[in-house]
Amino acid sequence: MTLRDWQTAATWLLGLAGDARIAVTSAALDASHPLIEALPEERRTRLRPNGDEADFGVVIAAAGVTEVGGTVHLETDLDDRIVTMLSRTLVRAVAIDTIVERLDTVAPLLAPESGPGYTSIITGASRTADIERSLTVGVQGPITDHVIIVG
Amino acid sequence: MIRPFRARYEAAFENDHLATALLDFQRAWRVSRDAQIEDLETELGETFQDLRHRLAEAKRRVRAELEATTLRFTEAARARGTIVHRASSAQEAVALVGGICEDAGAGIVVKGKSMLSEEIFLNEALASSGITVVETDLGEWILQLGGERPSHIVMPAIHLRRQEVAAIFERTLGRRFDPDDIPTMVRAARVELRDLFFRAAVGVTGANFLVADTGTVGIVCNEGNNRMASAIPTTNIVVAGVDKLVPDMATALLQIRVLARSATAQTATTYTNFISGPRPGQVQHLVLIDNGRSAMAGDPGFADALACIRCGACADVCPPYQVVGGQVFGHVYSGAIGLVNTLFHHGLDAASGPQGLCVSCGACATVCPVEIPLADQILRVRRRVFEAAPTRVDRLVGWLFGSPQRFAAATRLAAALGAPVRKDRFSRLRFPRRHAGWRRPPIPPWRPARSQLRDLPEGGSGTVGLFLQCISDRVAPSIAVASAQLIEAAGFRSALPRSQHCCGLPSFDSGDWDTAAAMARRTIEQFEQFDQVVTPGTSCVVAAQHHFVELLEEHPGWAERARAFAARIRTIEDFAIEHLDRSPLHPGPGDRRRPPVLSSHQRHRIRRPRRTARVRRWSRDRHARRGRSVLRIRRLHIVARPRDGVRSLGEEARCRRAGRRSRPGDAEPGMRAPHRRRAGGPAERRALRPHR
């Protein structure tokens, strides 16, 4: 879905989440991302890596890649990864001006210059076809997955 | 541990469901995969051939400087904080991983899907030191609970029915599962495994690629279990073969582009993870494993197999795999690649049984995203198996085909014995099914082609050498006689060297390269005097053009002669297509006759007597119905409609019927029939149309 700006995105997100609190990543919080800022503090939550799931999670993609229909996420900290891993409904937000055509363009994001790093390209909900090739979503992570394109 | 080959083989035929399920899968895969490859070609403006060549070349360069690349990767990974270990053997690797787990105080280890861990039997080793290993990929988890082994590289539990999965779940989880409710079964995995990710002290994963430039470990997955297994436990162990090294990120992206498309026919997997070092608060170990890979890299006959990216495509098009499944067609690794790399990872004994299942159709090599010549490599494995311990059947093949006298005597004996039950010239012997199954050998006729064609000269300038092919000669002579007539019809004189026999392909296919080389040399010697050699035996042409040079490489001076012979021999179809337009049969300018129609068909197939007897039985019963067969010898006629006033060279009315179904102009000059085809029936007719 394409939304005009981060404020609109936040409004849409709150509507979708209903009463659920929205798990956000520390990276987005620390960076004071406009989408996170636009969410009321009491509606935000942090997910801890202790086995708990979030009903609802939102992450900000570093880029989008049309070639694979995926979003690129920098998630070096476990606290950040846990949101994409353990939100039952996951919303991936990507700014329209970060969307590129080819994987090659995002190559520099895939490994940092130095130090540890973790980059994922995500294209949808967790899925499996291991039982009689029957496609089933939500085997481990998100059961519902949204991408919002903002801008 | 893996059960003996024979036991696995027998069990596969007890399973009625297996072949049907795998057939459905292969058909579906083919359609989706082809669509994906087409999309990729459009997207990148580059053909699949070029893409896979580029990837194969990149991986070839890594192999050429394996040690340097390994060191480059090691340095880069260490700079990111990864502890890199190297293990030369499976024993060393499991000892290393076991030691790390012990140091981490691991009671529970969660695992992502890793073929390498299967290769080194890691689960068994860890379990024997009291560690609870839990597979977290759904398919692998089901297999672990059921005490089974993967039957496909990317879809490990593809051989199981949902009823079997439900039964496994009921047994281990102690509650009822409805086999028709797959989502509930999937959710059970989610619930049961979730807690374990957080209780495990160690997470073990494999790797899809290792980027030497950046020290990055790449893992693709759909379920997300790999991400959790690698990220959550405080100790992470990556086990990877040195074959997973790629020089740079660009090569990694190229691999990503073909991997998911070839594996699951997806554009990309749900998750593609680039792990550069441990997360904060984590210790990350990487165990780089050789286990026979250096030996493979150093063996020119097999080195290309190290490029394998474990997509499983070779299994997805393989006819015998489809019949017996991956627990039989392979050892730890299944599919065509398993028939090759087992030799290096698990030894000759383990490779010996499965390699005999390959029927050399070559389909695997056409879909391989890193252009591994798998069918050729399997024949090289077979040679080693034969040289170590030839089976009775393989020795019999060499004994029978190796001598013209013995082969003549055997076919005459068969003709005499079969005479009482012969109905027409192509009768087959019928045994009670229980005793013989597929075995319905043809009854050879009294007069071989060489006596029917005894008026032909032995040679002479300007003549076309007719290579009869052993089977056409003695078992289906009308094919050879029609070939001679066709050569004459095209305006040439044919010649028949009397001492010709067999090209040696039966021995070559049995792994008996010494006998095959002797036969190849004899064939080359007898036909070297001709500028053109023509044969109705398509498989002989394949042997001459595809295998003779390799076969004779170790014979000084012969490789060159083999190359020259390969350039001169071709099938009667190719010969006819080229020359018929200039033949007296072809209407000249102003001539109102229609051009002659060339048709070939393969009603009477003869299959190689290999030990895949039951595969063949299946193949005949089911594959044949959908127009696929494994190897065949065709009959060939020129068919022309009598009302056109053209003399018919065909012998049988049914061939005329076949001819009437063909359209005029089917046999345009310049069209070539491909030599190696899997398809029969309709495809056979297509072969004479333009090659798309």
Side-chain angles (χ1 to χ4, degrees):
Chain A
M1 177 178 324
T2 312
L3 297 166
R4 201 173 55 249
D5 53 31
W6 294 112
Q7 186 60 50
T8 323
T11 313
W12 177 83
L13 206 61
L14 289 165
L16 185 73
D19 294 335
R21 302 237 288 175
I22 299 170
V24 297
T25 61
S26 38
L29 265 180
D30 294 347
S32 311
H33 191 277
L35 176 63
I36 307 301
E37 298 277 288
L39 297 173
E41 209 167 330
E42 69 277 10
R43 298 294 305 279
R44 299 194 301 230
T45 181
R46 297 287 309 282
L47 189 57
R48 295 292 166 200
N50 55 10
D52 290 344
E53 281 185 359
D55 289 327
F56 210 91
V58 62
V59 288
I60 317 292
V65 185
T66 55
E67 180 187 342
V68 290
T71 49
V72 181
H73 300 267
L74 309 179
E75 331 179 89
T76 303
D77 279 338
L78 181 59
D79 284 10
D80 293 345
R81 283 184 227 181
I82 212 86
V83 179
T84 52
M85 283 175 192
L86 293 181
S87 300
R88 270 191 291 274
T89 296
L90 177 67
V91 176
R92 297 177 280 139
V94 58
I96 197 160
D97 52 9
T98 64
I99 297 178
V100 299
E101 206 173 313
R102 293 289 178 80
L103 281 170
D104 309 75
T105 320
V106 297
L109 295 175
L110 302 179
E113 279 287 311
S114 64
Y118 185 99
T119 305
S120 327
I121 301 173
I122 302 179
T123 62
S126 155
R127 58 174 58 196
T128 185
D130 274 347
I131 303 176
E132 284 198 2
R133 298 191 293 120
S134 159
L135 184 64
T136 314
V137 293
V139 56
Q140 295 292 350
I143 300 165
T144 313
D145 174 80
H146 299 269
V147 177
I148 52 175
I149 299 168
V150 180
Chain B
M1 279 292 137
I2 298 180
R3 288 182 300 155
F5 173 73
R6 179 52 62 177
R8 288 181 278 141
Y9 181 78
E10 295 297 335
F13 285 96
E14 299 305 314
N15 186 342
D16 295 332
H17 147 86
L18 187 65
T20 327
L22 290 178
L23 179 59
D24 286 347
F25 158 64
Q26 286 193 340
R27 285 176 170 170
W29 179 85
R30 185 78 219 211
V31 172
S32 333
R33 177 264 182 200
D34 287 354
Q36 280 289 352
I37 295 296
E38 216 180 301
D39 282 353
L40 177 67
E41 290 180 336
T42 318
E43 171 89 34
L44 298 183
E46 203 176 343
T47 65
F48 176 64
Q49 299 297 346
D50 290 346
L51 278 165
R52 71 175 187 165
H53 185 70
R54 223 150 36 87
L55 182 54
E57 278 299 315
K59 297 206 79 170
R60 228 166 259 148
R61 280 196 296 278
V62 171
R63 279 202 302 285
E65 40 200 59
L66 191 58
E67 193 51 36
T69 316
T70 308
L71 291 176
R72 196 149 58 91
F73 172 78
T74 307
E75 208 169 293
R78 281 187 180 146
R80 306 256 187 207
T82 308
I83 305 164
V84 183
H85 311 261
R86 292 179 70 174
S88 61
S89 66
Q91 289 74 18
E92 253 184 78
V94 293
L96 264 167
V97 175
I100 298 166
C101 291
E102 215 161 282
D103 291 349
I108 300 172
V109 170
V110 282
K111 269 189 69 205
K113 181 171 160 32
S114 154
M115 277 312 294
L116 187 119
S117 72
E118 302 282 342
E119 172 190 320
I120 61 175
F121 300 100
L122 182 62
N123 290 9
E124 286 88 337
L126 292 181
S128 72
S129 31
I131 295 169
T132 307
V133 184
V134 184
E135 292 287 352
T136 60
D137 173 79
L138 177 61
E140 292 278 354
W141 188 55
I142 293 166
L143 296 181
Q144 189 184 31
L145 296 178
E148 292 211 41
R149 300 199 65 89
S151 75
H152 191 284
I153 289 177
V154 294
M155 282 155 285
I158 192 157
H159 61 289
L160 290 180
R161 264 184 286 201
R162 60 187 189 281
Q163 289 85 350
E164 292 168 287
V165 176
I168 289 170
F169 278 5
E170 277 177 26
R171 214 163 49 233
T172 40
L173 304 180
R175 56 197 154 95
R176 290 266 315 137
F177 281 90
D178 176 4
D180 294 324
D181 186 0
I182 290 174
T184 301
M185 290 195 265
V186 170
R187 250 192 317 279
R190 182 186 177 102
V191 172
E192 295 293 324
L193 293 172
R194 175 60 47 83
D195 188 35
L196 292 168
F197 286 111
F198 292 89
R199 280 168 49 203
V202 176
V204 175
T205 67
N208 290 96
F209 53 84
L210 307 171
V211 185
D213 270 359
T214 61
T216 302
V217 175
I219 302 180
V220 302
C221 75
N222 277 315
E223 296 184 9
N225 63 306
N226 257 316
R227 289 157 58 79
M228 291 163 74
S230 75
I232 297 169
T234 48
T235 300
N236 172 220
I237 307 174
V238 180
V239 289
V242 291
D243 55 306
K244 290 291 159 66
L245 286 163
V246 294
D248 44 33
M249 203 54 92
T251 311
L253 294 180
L254 184 56
Q255 177 175 338
I256 289 168
R257 283 178 174 127
V258 291
L259 178 57
R261 289 177 165 98
S262 301
T264 43
Q266 290 172 282
T267 306
T269 46
T270 307
Y271 303 102
T272 308
N273 308 301
F274 299 83
I275 309 167
S276 310
R279 67 164 168 83
Q282 189 187 48
V283 182
Q284 186 181 60
H285 296 266
L286 190 143
V287 184
L288 259 179
I289 296 163
D290 189 274
N291 199 29
R293 285 165 176 80
S294 300
M296 242 168 131
D299 190 329
F302 296 99
D304 284 347
L306 266 190
C308 177
I309 55 170
R310 309 282 186 253
C311 67
C314 53
D316 302 345
V317 292
C318 174
Y321 172 92
Q322 184 242 309
V323 180
V324 295
Q327 291 179 340
V328 182
F329 199 90
H331 187 65
V332 169
Y333 293 99
S334 54
I337 188 66
L339 267 46
V340 174
N341 67 8
T342 298
L343 182 66
F344 292 87
H345 303 323
H346 302 107
L348 193 71
D349 278 351
S352 165
Q355 62 76 26
L357 294 171
C358 172
V359 295
S360 303
C361 70
C364 45
T366 66
V367 293
C368 176
V370 282
E371 61 178 16
I372 306 171
L374 287 156
D376 292 346
Q377 293 190 344
I378 293 167
L379 287 170
R380 289 174 203 140
V381 173
R382 187 168 292 165
R383 177 190 188 182
R384 298 202 182 180
V385 169
F386 178 88
E387 283 168 3
T391 63
R392 267 176 313 190
V393 174
D394 289 339
R395 272 203 302 248
L396 179 70
V397 168
W399 182 86
L400 180 65
F401 283 87
S403 142
Q405 291 79 18
R406 268 196 293 270
F407 189 68
T411 48
R412 282 197 190 278
L413 180 66
L417 293 176
V421 292
R422 193 205 321 275
K423 290 196 207 75
D424 60 45
R425 77 186 66 203
F426 288 105
S427 285
R428 275 171 189 278
L429 226 44
R430 282 170 194 272
F431 296 121
R433 198 180 174 88
R434 213 179 129 258
H435 299 297
W438 68 288
R439 295 179 189 84
R440 290 169 58 196
I443 304 167
W446 283 115
R447 292 185 71 209
R450 60 181 68 218
S451 30
Q452 296 184 38
L453 295 171
R454 63 173 178 274
D455 295 339
L456 292 181
E458 282 233 46
S461 73
T463 54
V464 173
L466 175 61
F467 179 53
L468 293 174
Q469 188 214 35
C470 52
I471 305 286
S472 294
D473 182 13
R474 306 242 169 222
V475 182
S478 67
I479 298 174
V481 173
S483 301
Q485 291 173 324
L486 190 50
I487 294 170
E488 304 286 331
F492 289 84
R493 284 183 302 127
S494 49
L496 191 75
R498 294 295 187 270
S499 52
Q500 63 169 288
H501 174 46
C502 166
C503 66
L505 185 62
S507 294
F508 179 74
D509 276 344
S510 303
D512 182 359
W513 286 29
D514 287 342
T515 307
M519 296 169 80
R521 283 167 58 163
R522 200 160 57 208
T523 304
I524 292 172
E525 263 170 359
Q526 282 151 9
F527 286 91
E528 254 171 350
Q529 54 164 310
F530 301 103
D531 290 338
Q532 292 197 79
V533 181
V534 170
T535 176
T538 308
S539 47
C540 309
V541 176
V542 172
Q545 294 183 342
H546 203 77
H547 300 307
F548 274 16
V549 174
E550 185 181 355
L551 190 57
L552 296 174
E553 211 123 64
E554 294 154 21
H555 301 240
W558 277 93
E560 258 329 294
R561 292 170 76 175
R563 243 174 239 117
F565 180 67
R568 286 195 298 263
I569 188 169
R570 55 198 168 140
T571 61
I572 186 71
E573 293 96 325
D574 279 354
F575 175 84
I577 287 164
E578 184 179 330
H579 292 294
L580 269 187
D581 60 322
R582 275 174 284 162
S583 81
L585 279 181
H586 210 276
D591 190 339
R592 292 180 61 84
R593 286 182 307 168
R594 290 191 201 166
V597 173
L598 185 70
S599 89
S600 70
H601 70 135
Q602 81 303 343
R603 284 173 68 93
H604 308 287
R605 280 188 296 265
I606 294 160
R607 293 190 175 84
R608 284 186 298 167
R610 278 205 61 77
R611 65 188 81 107
T612 47
R614 304 181 78 160
V615 173
R616 296 300 164 72
R617 181 185 79 193
W618 189 91
S619 176
R620 191 200 65 219
D621 292 351
R622 270 170 268 189
H623 254 154
R625 228 178 281 151
R626 41 190 285 249
R628 264 161 67 166
S629 74
V630 175
L631 259 193
R632 71 196 77 84
I633 289 170
R634 288 163 305 194
R635 306 183 61 206
L636 177 83
H637 297 266
I638 295 181
V639 180
R641 277 142 298 203
R643 66 166 182 276
D644 292 339
V646 180
R647 187 169 57 100
S648 166
L649 292 167
E651 289 180 293
E652 291 172 52
R654 62 168 169 266
C655 300
R656 294 203 189 114
R657 285 201 296 277
R660 266 200 288 278
R661 279 200 296 275
S662 306
R663 283 192 298 276
D666 271 4
E668 291 293 339
M671 299 171 193
R672 299 183 68 81
H675 290 311
R676 245 180 190 213
R677 289 191 297 269
R678 283 174 83 194
E684 217 61 58
R685 289 193 289 277
R686 268 203 307 280
L688 290 171
R689 295 199 197 118
H691 203 29
R692 280 185 293 271

